[in-house]
Coordinates of all heavy atoms in Angstrom, one line a residue:
M1 N 9.9 12.6 16.9 CA 11.3 12.8 16.5 C 12.2 11.7 17.0 O 12.7 11.8 18.1 CB 11.8 14.2 17.0 CG 11.2 15.4 16.3 SD 11.7 17.0 17.0 CE 10.6 17.0 18.5
R2 N 12.3 10.7 16.1 CA 13.2 9.7 16.5 C 14.5 10.2 16.5 O 15.0 10.8 15.5 CB 13.1 8.5 15.5 CG 11.9 7.6 15.7 CD 11.7 6.6 14.6 NE 10.3 6.5 14.3 CZ 9.7 6.2 13.1 NH1 10.4 6.1 12.0 NH2 8.4 6.2 13.0
G3 N 15.4 10.0 17.5 CA 16.6 10.6 17.6 C 16.8 12.0 18.1 O 17.7 12.6 18.2
G4 N 15.6 12.4 18.7 CA 15.5 13.7 19.4 C 15.3 14.9 18.5 O 15.3 14.8 17.3
G5 N 15.3 16.1 19.1 CA 15.1 17.3 18.4 C 14.4 18.2 19.2 O 14.1 18.1 20.5
L6 N 14.0 19.4 18.6 CA 13.4 20.5 19.3 C 12.0 20.7 18.8 O 11.8 20.7 17.5 CB 14.2 21.8 19.1 CG 13.8 23.0 19.9 CD1 14.1 22.8 21.4 CD2 14.6 24.2 19.4
L7 N 11.0 20.8 19.7 CA 9.7 21.1 19.3 C 9.3 22.5 19.7 O 9.5 22.8 20.9 CB 8.7 20.1 19.9 CG 7.1 20.3 19.7 CD1 6.8 20.3 18.2 CD2 6.3 19.4 20.5
T8 N 8.8 23.3 18.8 CA 8.5 24.7 19.1 C 7.0 25.0 18.8 O 6.7 24.7 17.6 CB 9.4 25.8 18.4 OG1 10.8 25.4 18.6 CG2 9.1 27.1 18.8
I9 N 6.2 25.4 19.7 CA 4.9 25.6 19.5 C 4.7 27.1 19.6 O 5.0 27.7 20.6 CB 3.9 24.8 20.4 CG1 4.2 23.3 20.4 CG2 2.5 25.1 20.2 CD1 3.5 22.5 21.5
S10 N 4.0 27.8 18.6 CA 3.8 29.2 18.7 C 2.4 29.5 18.1 O 1.8 28.6 17.4 CB 4.9 29.9 17.9 OG 5.0 29.4 16.5
T11 N 1.9 30.6 18.4 CA 0.6 31.1 17.9 C 0.8 32.4 17.3 O 1.7 33.2 17.6 CB -0.4 31.2 19.1 OG1 0.1 32.1 20.1 CG2 -0.6 29.8 19.8
R12 N -0.1 32.7 16.4 CA -0.1 34.0 15.9 C -1.6 34.4 15.3 O -2.3 33.5 15.1 CB 0.9 34.2 14.8 CG 0.7 33.3 13.5 CD 1.9 33.4 12.5 NE 1.6 32.6 11.5 CZ 2.5 32.1 10.6 NH1 3.8 32.3 10.8 NH2 2.2 31.4 9.5
H13 N -1.7 35.7 15.2 CA -3.0 36.1 14.5 C -2.8 36.5 13.1 O -1.9 37.4 12.9 CB -3.6 37.3 15.4 CG -4.9 37.8 14.8 ND1 -5.2 39.2 14.7 CD2 -5.9 37.1 14.3 CE1 -6.4 39.3 14.2 NE2 -6.9 38.1 13.9
N14 N -3.4 35.9 12.2 CA -3.3 36.2 10.8 C -4.3 37.3 10.5 O -5.5 37.0 10.3 CB -3.5 34.9 10.0 CG -3.5 35.3 8.5 OD1 -3.8 36.3 8.0 ND2 -3.3 34.2 7.7
S15 N -3.9 38.5 10.7 CA -4.8 39.7 10.6 C -5.6 39.8 9.3 O -6.8 39.9 9.3 CB -4.2 41.0 10.9 OG -3.2 40.9 11.9
P16 N -5.0 39.7 8.2 CA -5.7 39.9 6.9 C -6.9 38.9 6.8 O -7.9 39.2 6.3 CB -4.7 39.6 5.8 CG -3.4 39.9 6.4 CD -3.5 39.5 7.9
E17 N -6.7 37.7 7.2 CA -7.7 36.7 7.1 C -8.5 36.5 8.4 O -9.5 35.8 8.5 CB -7.1 35.3 6.7 CG -6.6 35.4 5.3 CD -6.0 34.0 4.8 OE1 -6.7 33.1 5.1 OE2 -5.0 34.1 4.1
N18 N -8.1 37.2 9.5 CA -8.7 37.1 10.9 C -8.8 35.6 11.3 O -9.9 35.2 11.6 CB -10.1 37.8 10.9 CG -10.4 38.2 12.3 OD1 -9.5 38.3 13.2 ND2 -11.7 38.2 12.6
R19 N -7.7 35.1 11.3 CA -7.7 33.6 11.8 C -6.6 33.5 12.8 O -5.6 34.2 12.8 CB -7.4 32.6 10.6 CG -8.7 32.6 9.7 CD -8.3 31.8 8.4 NE -8.5 30.3 8.7 CZ -9.6 29.7 8.6 NH1 -10.7 30.2 8.3 NH2 -9.6 28.3 8.7
V20 N -6.8 32.5 13.7 CA -5.7 32.2 14.6 C -5.0 31.0 14.1 O -5.6 30.1 13.6 CB -6.4 31.8 16.0 CG1 -5.3 31.2 17.0 CG2 -7.0 33.0 16.6
E21 N -3.6 31.1 14.2 CA -2.8 30.0 13.6 C -1.9 29.4 14.8 O -1.3 30.3 15.5 CB -1.9 30.5 12.5 CG -2.7 30.9 11.3 CD -2.0 31.6 10.1 OE1 -0.8 31.8 10.3 OE2 -2.6 31.7 9.0
V22 N -1.8 28.2 14.8 CA -1.0 27.5 15.8 C 0.1 26.7 15.0 O -0.4 25.9 14.2 CB -1.8 26.5 16.8 CG1 -0.8 26.1 17.9 CG2 -2.9 27.3 17.4
L23 N 1.4 27.0 15.3 CA 2.4 26.3 14.6 C 3.1 25.3 15.4 O 3.5 25.6 16.6 CB 3.4 27.2 13.9 CG 2.8 28.2 12.9 CD1 2.1 29.3 13.4 CD2 3.9 28.6 12.0
F24 N 3.2 24.1 14.9 CA 4.0 23.0 15.7 C 5.2 22.7 14.8 O 5.1 22.0 13.7 CB 3.2 21.8 15.9 CG 1.8 22.1 16.6 CD1 0.7 22.5 15.9 CD2 1.8 21.8 18.0 CE1 -0.5 22.7 16.6 CE2 0.7 22.1 18.7 CZ -0.5 22.5 18.0
K25 N 6.3 23.2 15.3 CA 7.5 23.1 14.4 C 8.5 22.1 15.1 O 8.8 22.3 16.2 CB 8.2 24.4 14.2 CG 9.4 24.5 13.4 CD 9.9 26.0 13.4 CE 11.3 26.1 12.8 NZ 11.5 25.6 11.5
D26 N 9.0 21.1 14.3 CA 10.0 20.2 14.9 C 11.3 20.2 14.0 O 11.2 20.5 12.9 CB 9.4 18.9 15.2 CG 9.2 18.0 14.0 OD1 10.0 17.9 13.1 OD2 8.0 17.5 13.8
T27 N 12.3 19.7 14.6 CA 13.6 19.5 13.9 C 13.8 18.0 13.8 O 14.9 17.5 13.8 CB 14.7 20.1 14.7 OG1 14.8 19.6 16.0 CG2 14.5 21.7 14.8
G28 N 12.8 17.2 13.6 CA 12.9 15.8 13.4 C 13.4 15.4 12.0 O 13.8 16.2 11.3
H29 N 13.0 14.2 11.6 CA 13.6 13.6 10.4 C 12.8 14.0 9.2 O 13.1 13.6 8.0 CB 13.7 12.1 10.5 CG 12.5 11.4 11.0 ND1 11.2 11.4 10.4 CD2 12.2 10.8 12.2 CE1 10.4 10.8 11.2 NE2 11.0 10.4 12.3
G30 N 11.7 14.7 9.3 CA 10.9 15.1 8.2 C 10.1 14.0 7.6 O 10.2 12.8 8.1
I31 N 9.3 14.2 6.6 CA 8.4 13.2 6.1 C 8.8 13.0 4.6 O 8.9 13.9 3.8 CB 6.9 13.7 6.2 CG1 6.6 14.0 7.6 CG2 6.0 12.7 5.6 CD1 5.3 14.8 7.8
K32 N 9.1 11.7 4.3 CA 9.5 11.3 3.0 C 8.4 11.7 1.9 O 7.3 11.5 2.2 CB 9.8 9.8 2.8 CG 11.0 9.4 3.6 CD 11.2 7.9 3.3 CE 12.4 7.3 4.1 NZ 12.4 5.9 4.1
T33 N 8.9 12.1 0.7 CA 8.0 12.5 -0.4 C 6.9 11.5 -0.6 O 5.7 11.8 -0.7 CB 8.7 12.6 -1.7 OG1 10.1 13.1 -1.5 CG2 8.0 13.5 -2.7
E34 N 7.2 10.2 -0.6 CA 6.2 9.1 -0.8 C 5.1 9.0 0.2 O 4.1 8.4 -0.1 CB 6.9 7.8 -1.1 CG 7.7 7.2 0.0 CD 9.2 7.5 -0.2 OE1 9.6 8.6 -0.5 OE2 10.0 6.6 0.1
Y35 N 5.4 9.6 1.4 CA 4.4 9.5 2.4 C 3.5 10.7 2.5 O 2.5 10.7 3.2 CB 5.0 9.3 3.8 CG 5.9 8.0 4.0 CD1 7.0 8.1 4.8 CD2 5.6 6.9 3.3 CE1 7.8 6.9 5.0 CE2 6.5 5.8 3.4 CZ 7.5 5.8 4.3 OH 8.3 4.7 4.5
R36 N 3.9 11.8 1.9 CA 3.3 13.1 2.1 C 1.8 13.1 1.8 O 1.1 13.9 2.4 CB 4.0 14.2 1.4 CG 5.4 14.5 2.0 CD 6.2 15.5 1.3 NE 7.6 15.4 1.9 CZ 8.7 16.0 1.5 NH1 8.5 16.7 0.3 NH2 9.8 15.8 2.0
N37 N 1.4 12.3 0.8 CA 0.0 12.3 0.4 C -0.9 11.5 1.4 O -2.2 11.4 1.3 CB -0.3 11.9 -1.0 CG 0.1 12.9 -1.9 OD1 0.0 14.1 -1.6 ND2 0.5 12.5 -3.2
E38 N -0.3 10.7 2.3 CA -1.0 9.7 3.1 C -1.1 9.9 4.6 O -1.8 9.3 5.3 CB -0.4 8.3 2.9 CG -0.4 7.8 1.5 CD 0.2 6.4 1.3 OE1 -0.5 5.5 1.6 OE2 1.4 6.4 1.0
I39 N -0.3 10.9 5.1 CA -0.2 11.0 6.5 C -1.5 11.3 7.2 O -1.6 11.0 8.4 CB 0.9 12.1 6.9 CG1 0.6 13.5 6.3 CG2 2.3 11.6 6.5 CD1 1.4 14.5 7.0
F40 N -2.5 11.9 6.6 CA -3.8 12.2 7.2 C -4.8 11.1 7.1 O -5.8 11.1 7.5 CB -4.4 13.5 6.6 CG -3.6 14.7 7.0 CD1 -2.9 15.4 6.0 CD2 -3.6 15.3 8.3 CE1 -2.2 16.6 6.4 CE2 -2.9 16.4 8.7 CZ -2.1 17.0 7.7
D41 N -4.3 10.0 6.4 CA -5.3 8.8 6.2 C -5.3 8.1 7.5 O -4.3 7.9 8.2 CB -4.7 7.9 5.1 CG -4.8 8.5 3.7 OD1 -5.4 9.6 3.6 OD2 -4.3 8.0 2.8
P42 N -6.6 7.6 7.8 CA -6.7 6.8 9.1 C -5.8 5.6 9.0 O -5.8 5.0 8.0 CB -8.2 6.4 9.1 CG -8.9 7.4 8.2 CD -7.9 7.8 7.2
F43 N -5.1 5.3 10.0 CA -4.3 4.1 10.2 C -3.1 4.1 9.4 O -2.3 3.1 9.4 CB -5.1 2.8 10.0 CG -6.4 2.7 10.8 CD1 -7.7 2.7 10.2 CD2 -6.3 2.6 12.1 CE1 -8.8 2.7 10.9 CE2 -7.5 2.5 13.0 CZ -8.7 2.6 12.3
F44 N -2.8 5.3 8.7 CA -1.4 5.3 8.0 C -0.4 5.6 9.1 O -0.5 6.5 9.9 CB -1.4 6.4 7.0 CG 0.0 6.5 6.4 CD1 0.4 5.6 5.4 CD2 0.9 7.4 6.9 CE1 1.8 5.6 4.9 CE2 2.2 7.5 6.4 CZ 2.6 6.6 5.4
T45 N 0.6 4.6 9.1 CA 1.7 4.9 10.1 C 3.0 4.3 9.5 O 2.9 3.4 8.7 CB 1.4 4.2 11.4 OG1 2.4 4.5 12.4 CG2 1.3 2.7 11.4
T46 N 4.1 4.9 9.9 CA 5.4 4.3 9.5 C 6.1 3.7 10.7 O 7.2 3.3 10.8 CB 6.3 5.4 9.0 OG1 6.4 6.5 9.8 CG2 5.8 5.9 7.6
R47 N 5.2 3.6 11.9 CA 5.8 2.9 13.1 C 5.8 1.4 12.9 O 5.1 0.9 12.1 CB 4.9 3.3 14.3 CG 5.0 4.8 14.7 CD 4.0 4.9 15.8 NE 3.8 6.4 16.1 CZ 4.3 7.1 17.0 NH1 5.2 6.5 17.9 NH2 4.1 8.3 17.2
E48 N 6.5 0.8 13.8 CA 6.5 -0.7 13.8 C 5.1 -1.2 14.3 O 4.5 -0.4 15.0 CB 7.6 -1.2 14.8 CG 9.0 -0.8 14.5 CD 9.6 -1.5 13.3 OE1 9.3 -2.6 13.1 OE2 10.2 -0.8 12.5
V49 N 4.7 -2.3 13.9 CA 3.5 -2.9 14.5 C 3.5 -2.9 16.0 O 4.5 -3.3 16.6 CB 3.3 -4.4 13.9 CG1 2.1 -5.0 14.6 CG2 3.2 -4.4 12.4
G50 N 2.4 -2.4 16.6 CA 2.3 -2.3 18.0 C 2.8 -1.1 18.6 O 2.7 -0.8 19.8
E51 N 3.5 -0.3 17.8 CA 4.1 1.0 18.3 C 3.2 2.2 18.1 O 3.5 3.3 18.7 CB 5.4 1.3 17.5 CG 6.6 1.0 18.3 CD 7.8 1.5 17.6 OE1 7.8 2.6 17.0 OE2 8.9 0.9 17.7
G52 N 2.1 2.1 17.4 CA 1.3 3.3 17.2 C 0.2 2.9 16.2 O 0.2 2.0 15.4
G53 N -0.9 3.6 16.3 CA -2.1 3.2 15.5 C -2.3 4.1 14.3 O -3.2 3.7 13.4
G54 N -1.6 5.1 14.1 CA -1.8 5.9 12.8 C -3.0 6.8 12.8 O -3.6 7.1 11.8
L55 N -3.6 7.0 14.1 CA -4.8 7.8 14.1 C -4.6 9.3 14.5 O -5.5 10.0 14.3 CB -5.8 7.1 15.1 CG -6.6 5.9 14.6 CD1 -7.3 5.2 15.7 CD2 -7.5 6.3 13.4
G56 N -3.5 9.6 15.0 CA -3.1 10.9 15.4 C -3.6 12.0 14.5 O -4.4 12.9 14.7
L57 N -3.0 12.0 13.3 CA -3.3 13.1 12.3 C -4.6 13.0 11.7 O -5.2 14.1 11.5 CB -2.2 13.0 11.3 CG -0.8 13.6 11.6 CD1 0.2 13.4 10.5 CD2 -0.9 15.1 12.1
S58 N -5.2 11.8 11.6 CA -6.5 11.8 11.0 C -7.5 12.3 11.9 O -8.5 13.0 11.6 CB -6.9 10.4 10.4 OG -7.3 9.5 11.5
V59 N -7.3 12.0 13.2 CA -8.2 12.6 14.2 C -8.1 14.1 14.3 O -9.1 14.8 14.3 CB -8.0 11.9 15.7 CG1 -8.8 12.7 16.7 CG2 -8.4 10.5 15.7
C60 N -6.9 14.6 14.3 CA -6.6 16.1 14.3 C -7.3 16.7 13.0 O -8.0 17.8 13.1 CB -5.1 16.4 14.3 SG -4.3 15.9 15.7
Y61 N -7.1 16.1 11.9 CA -7.7 16.6 10.7 C -9.2 16.7 10.8 O -9.8 17.7 10.5 CB -7.4 15.6 9.5 CG -7.8 16.2 8.2 CD1 -6.9 17.0 7.4 CD2 -9.0 15.9 7.6 CE1 -7.3 17.5 6.2 CE2 -9.4 16.5 6.4 CZ -8.5 17.2 5.7 OH -8.9 17.8 4.5
G62 N -9.9 15.7 11.4 CA -11.3 15.7 11.6 C -11.8 16.7 12.5 O -12.7 17.5 12.2
L63 N -11.1 16.9 13.6 CA -11.4 17.9 14.7 C -11.3 19.3 14.1 O -12.1 20.2 14.3 CB -10.5 17.7 15.8 CG -10.9 16.5 16.8 CD1 -9.7 16.4 17.9 CD2 -12.2 16.6 17.4
V64 N -10.2 19.6 13.4 CA -9.9 20.9 12.9 C -11.0 21.2 11.8 O -11.5 22.3 11.8 CB -8.4 20.9 12.4 CG1 -8.2 22.2 11.6 CG2 -7.5 20.9 13.6
S65 N -11.1 20.3 10.9 CA -12.1 20.5 9.8 C -13.5 20.8 10.3 O -14.2 21.7 9.8 CB -12.2 19.3 8.8 OG -10.9 18.9 8.4
K66 N -13.9 20.1 11.3 CA -15.3 20.3 11.9 C -15.4 21.6 12.5 O -16.5 22.1 12.6 CB -15.4 19.3 13.1 CG -16.5 18.2 12.8 CD -16.8 17.4 14.1 CE -17.5 16.2 13.7 NZ -17.5 15.2 14.8
N67 N -14.4 22.3 12.8 CA -14.4 23.6 13.4 C -14.0 24.8 12.4 O -13.4 25.8 12.8 CB -13.5 23.7 14.7 CG -14.2 22.9 15.8 OD1 -15.1 23.4 16.4 ND2 -13.7 21.7 16.0
D68 N -14.3 24.4 11.1 CA -14.0 25.4 10.0 C -12.5 25.8 10.0 O -12.2 26.9 9.6 CB -14.8 26.7 10.2 CG -16.3 26.4 10.2 OD1 -16.7 25.5 9.4 OD2 -17.0 27.0 11.1
G69 N -11.7 24.8 10.4 CA -10.2 25.0 10.4 C -9.5 24.3 9.2 O -10.2 23.6 8.5
E70 N -8.3 24.6 9.1 CA -7.4 23.9 8.2 C -6.1 23.5 8.8 O -5.7 24.1 9.7 CB -7.0 24.9 7.1 CG -8.0 25.1 6.0 CD -7.6 26.1 4.9 OE1 -6.4 26.4 4.8 OE2 -8.5 26.6 4.2
I71 N -5.6 22.3 8.4 CA -4.4 21.9 8.9 C -3.4 21.6 7.7 O -3.8 20.9 6.8 CB -4.5 20.7 9.9 CG1 -3.1 20.2 10.4 CG2 -5.3 19.5 9.3 CD1 -3.2 19.3 11.6
T72 N -2.3 22.3 7.7 CA -1.4 22.1 6.6 C -0.1 21.8 7.1 O 0.3 22.0 8.3 CB -1.3 23.4 5.8 OG1 -1.0 24.5 6.7 CG2 -2.6 23.7 5.1
F73 N 1.0 21.4 6.3 CA 2.3 21.1 6.8 C 3.3 21.4 5.8 O 3.0 21.4 4.5 CB 2.4 19.7 7.3 CG 2.3 18.6 6.2 CD1 3.5 18.1 5.7 CD2 1.1 18.2 5.7 CE1 3.5 17.2 4.7 CE2 1.0 17.3 4.7 CZ 2.2 16.8 4.1
E74 N 4.5 21.7 6.2 CA 5.7 21.8 5.4 C 6.7 20.9 6.0 O 6.8 20.8 7.2 CB 6.2 23.2 5.4 CG 5.4 24.2 4.6 CD 5.9 25.6 4.7 OE1 7.0 25.8 4.5 OE2 5.0 26.5 5.2
T75 N 7.5 20.2 5.2 CA 8.5 19.2 5.7 C 9.6 19.2 4.8 O 9.6 19.4 3.6 CB 7.8 17.9 5.9 OG1 8.6 17.1 6.6 CG2 7.4 17.2 4.6
V76 N 10.8 18.9 5.5 CA 12.1 18.9 4.9 C 12.8 17.6 5.5 O 13.1 17.6 6.7 CB 12.9 20.1 5.1 CG1 14.3 20.0 4.5 CG2 12.2 21.4 4.5
T77 N 13.3 16.7 4.6 CA 14.0 15.6 5.1 C 15.5 15.9 5.2 O 15.9 16.8 4.5 CB 13.8 14.3 4.2 OG1 14.2 14.6 2.9 CG2 12.3 13.9 4.1
E78 N 16.2 15.1 5.9 CA 17.7 15.2 6.0 C 18.3 15.2 4.6 O 19.2 15.9 4.3 CB 18.2 14.1 6.8 CG 19.6 14.4 7.3 CD 19.9 13.6 8.6 OE1 19.2 12.7 8.9 OE2 20.8 14.0 9.3
E79 N 17.8 14.3 3.7 CA 18.4 14.2 2.3 C 18.1 15.5 1.6 O 19.0 15.8 0.7 CB 17.7 13.0 1.6 CG 18.0 11.6 2.2 CD 17.3 11.3 3.5 OE1 16.1 11.6 3.6 OE2 17.8 10.8 4.4
E80 N 17.0 16.2 1.8 CA 16.7 17.4 1.1 C 17.5 18.6 1.5 O 18.0 19.3 0.7 CB 15.2 17.7 1.2 CG 14.3 16.7 0.5 CD 12.8 16.9 0.8 OE1 12.5 17.2 1.9 OE2 12.0 16.7 -0.1
D81 N 17.8 18.7 2.8 CA 18.5 19.8 3.4 C 18.8 19.5 4.9 O 18.0 19.6 5.8 CB 17.6 21.1 3.2 CG 18.4 22.3 3.7 OD1 19.6 22.1 4.3 OD2 17.9 23.4 3.6
R82 N 20.0 19.0 5.1 CA 20.5 18.6 6.4 C 20.4 19.8 7.4 O 20.0 19.5 8.6 CB 22.0 18.3 6.3 CG 22.4 17.4 7.2 CD 23.9 16.8 6.9 NE 24.1 15.4 7.4 CZ 24.2 15.1 8.6 NH1 24.3 16.1 9.6 NH2 24.4 13.9 9.1
E83 N 20.6 21.0 7.0 CA 20.5 22.1 8.0 C 19.1 22.5 8.5 O 19.0 23.1 9.5 CB 21.2 23.4 7.4 CG 22.6 23.1 6.8 CD 23.6 23.0 8.0 OE1 23.8 24.0 8.7 OE2 24.2 21.9 8.1
N84 N 18.2 22.2 7.5 CA 16.9 22.7 7.8 C 15.8 21.6 7.9 O 14.6 21.8 7.6 CB 16.4 23.7 6.7 CG 17.3 25.0 6.8 OD1 17.3 25.7 7.8 ND2 18.0 25.2 5.7
K85 N 16.2 20.4 8.3 CA 15.3 19.3 8.3 C 14.3 19.5 9.4 O 14.5 20.1 10.4 CB 16.0 18.0 8.5 CG 16.6 17.7 9.9 CD 17.3 16.4 10.0 CE 18.0 16.3 11.4 NZ 17.2 16.0 12.5
G86 N 13.1 18.9 9.1 CA 12.0 19.0 10.2 C 10.7 19.2 9.5 O 10.6 19.3 8.3
S87 N 9.6 19.3 10.3 CA 8.3 19.5 9.9 C 7.5 20.6 10.6 O 7.8 20.7 11.8 CB 7.5 18.2 10.1 OG 8.2 17.1 9.4
T88 N 6.7 21.3 10.0 CA 5.9 22.3 10.6 C 4.5 22.1 10.3 O 4.1 22.1 9.1 CB 6.3 23.7 10.3 OG1 7.6 24.0 10.6 CG2 5.4 24.7 11.1
F89 N 3.6 21.7 11.3 CA 2.2 21.6 11.1 C 1.5 22.9 11.5 O 1.8 23.4 12.6 CB 1.6 20.4 11.8 CG 1.9 19.1 11.2 CD1 3.2 18.6 11.4 CD2 1.0 18.5 10.4 CE1 3.5 17.4 10.8 CE2 1.3 17.3 9.8 CZ 2.6 16.7 10.0
T90 N 0.7 23.5 10.7 CA -0.1 24.7 11.0 C -1.5 24.4 11.1 O -2.1 23.9 10.1 CB 0.2 25.8 10.0 OG1 1.7 26.0 9.9 CG2 -0.5 27.1 10.4
V91 N -2.1 24.8 12.2 CA -3.6 24.7 12.4 C -4.1 26.1 12.3 O -3.6 27.0 13.0 CB -4.0 24.1 13.7 CG1 -5.5 24.1 14.0 CG2 -3.4 22.7 13.8
S92 N -5.1 26.3 11.5 CA -5.6 27.7 11.2 C -7.1 27.6 11.5 O -7.8 26.8 11.0 CB -5.3 28.1 9.8 OG -6.3 29.1 9.4
L93 N -7.6 28.5 12.5 CA -9.0 28.5 12.9 C -9.5 29.9 12.8 O -8.8 30.8 13.0 CB -9.1 28.0 14.3 CG -8.6 26.5 14.6 CD1 -8.3 26.3 16.1 CD2 -9.8 25.6 14.2
P94 N -10.8 29.9 12.4 CA -11.4 31.3 12.5 C -11.5 31.8 13.8 O -11.7 31.1 14.8 CB -12.8 31.0 11.9 CG -13.1 29.6 12.1 CD -11.8 28.9 12.2
V95 N -11.4 33.2 13.9 CA -11.5 33.8 15.3 C -13.0 33.8 15.7 O -13.8 34.1 14.8 CB -11.0 35.3 15.2 CG1 -11.3 36.1 16.5 CG2 -9.5 35.3 14.9
A96 N -13.2 33.5 16.9 CA -14.6 33.4 17.4 C -15.2 34.8 17.6 O -14.5 35.7 17.9 CB -14.6 32.7 18.8
P97 N -16.4 35.0 17.1 CA -16.9 36.4 17.1 C -17.0 36.9 18.6 O -17.2 36.0 19.5 CB -18.3 36.3 16.4 CG -18.6 34.9 16.3 CD -17.4 34.0 16.6
Ligands
ADP1 N1 6.2 15.6 12.9 C1 6.4 14.5 12.1 N2 7.6 14.2 11.6 C2 7.8 13.1 10.8 N3 6.8 12.3 10.4 C3 5.6 12.5 10.9 C4 5.3 13.6 11.8 N4 4.0 13.6 12.0 C5 3.5 12.6 11.4 N5 4.4 11.9 10.6 C6 4.3 10.7 9.8 O1 2.9 10.5 9.7 C7 2.5 9.2 10.1 C8 1.1 9.3 10.7 O2 1.0 10.0 11.8 P1 0.0 9.8 13.0 O3 -1.4 10.0 12.3 O4 0.3 10.7 14.1 O5 0.2 8.3 13.4 P2 1.3 7.6 14.3 O6 2.0 8.6 15.1 O7 0.5 6.6 15.2 O8 2.2 6.9 13.3 C9 3.6 8.9 11.1 O9 3.7 7.5 11.2 C10 4.8 9.5 10.4 O10 5.3 8.7 9.4
MG2 MG1 1.4 10.5 15.9

């Protein structure tokens, strides 16, 4: 969150599907429409050269997928809705027997 913001991490049990969900919600700048299909790609980054590698989300995607999980996101940019800008990433995992 360039420019600051609030990060809220919460967990819940999705009973109908018997999965555990972890939500990472921020009030940052959101993700522009043109980047939304690329954020999980290895080395995709919007940071300046030398500021980051673009591996964070692709590594998360790999780890979550390997464990029969899913990672999804919703995002709102400031241009779309000033009051509700930010992103929420949800990790959904099957409950261990
Ligand atoms: N919570 C977020 N809010 C806004 N943009 C994000 C968020 N998470 C990821 N992104 C976008 O996805 C890109 C890739 O993220 P990531 O794989 O973590 O690599 P990095 O952090 O090194 O850029 C980021 O550069 C950024 O553009
Ligand atoms: Mg990152």
Side-chain angles (χ1 to χ4, degrees):
M1 286 177 280
R2 282 169 218 150
L6 186 71
L7 174 66
T8 307
I9 303 172
S10 57
T11 59
R12 65 189 181 198
H13 179 221
N14 176 337
S15 324
E17 293 186 36
N18 198 28
R19 292 172 79 85
V20 172
E21 295 174 350
V22 187
L23 290 83
F24 303 84
K25 179 181 167 63
D26 71 52
T27 58
H29 46 69
I31 303 166
K32 288 185 187 169
T33 324
E34 61 261 43
Y35 300 150
R36 289 177 192 167
N37 285 332
E38 295 182 87
I39 57 167
F40 293 107
D41 294 350
F43 306 113
F44 175 80
T45 186
T46 53
R47 293 176 193 259
E48 300 290 318
V49 174
E51 256 191 35
L55 281 173
L57 282 177
S58 78
V59 169
C60 291
Y61 189 90
L63 288 172
V64 170
S65 304
K66 248 190 195 164
N67 289 283
D68 300 318
E70 275 177 20
I71 179 165
T72 54
F73 69 97
E74 287 173 54
T75 189
V76 176
T77 60
E78 196 155 16
E79 295 73 45
E80 289 169 326
D81 184 352
R82 203 166 212 289
E83 306 288 296
N84 292 299
K85 72 182 174 72
S87 306
T88 303
F89 284 80
T90 301
V91 174
S92 159
L93 292 160
V95 173

